[in-house]
Amino acid sequence: EMIEREKLVDGAYTLLGFKKSGGVSRTTMTDGEKVYTMSKPTVTALDGDSFGVKVNYHLSIPFEVFGKKVADIDVPVEIISKYTER
């Protein structure tokens, strides 16, 4: 059975809370008083001898000292999820 790579990409965007085209460019998550901001990811279908997706995005994390926000730390994130048949 053939894997539809475009459906993998669409599903990844949906799971992350974004639309493939249009929609919001950032989403905000709250953990108590801290607010984390995630940029819209770039999702790419993998090809070759495996199938899956590669997801890239930036996460902005507040850095606090003595309860006061000093800066936002930008963390680049890359996640690869793939299946390779042996």
Side-chain angles (χ1 to χ4, degrees):
E1 188 173 317
M2 186 173 160
I3 302 297
E4 295 184 40
R5 297 186 192 299
E6 203 58 34
K7 285 189 177 183
L8 288 174
V9 171
D10 292 343
Y13 275 110
T14 300
L15 285 172
L16 292 168
F18 291 90
K19 293 182 180 180
K20 184 176 177 182
S21 60
V24 297
S25 61
R26 302 180 81 71
T27 188
T28 303
M29 299 149 284
T30 304
D31 177 23
E33 296 178 13
K34 295 177 177 51
V35 177
Y36 304 89
T37 304
M38 177 183 171
S39 66
K40 182 173 182 176
T42 301
V43 181
T44 309
L46 301 176
D47 55 10
D49 64 345
S50 63
F51 68 89
V53 293
K54 179 171 84 168
V55 180
N56 294 90
Y57 61 90
H58 285 260
L59 189 62
S60 178
I61 302 171
F63 178 69
E64 297 179 359
V65 176
F66 302 114
K68 295 192 179 199
K69 182 177 167 183
V70 176
D72 286 315
I73 299 173
D74 185 55
V75 180
V77 179
E78 178 177 273
I79 299 170
I80 297 175
S81 178
K82 70 178 181 176
Y83 175 82
T84 305
E85 190 173 350
R86 293 181 181 204

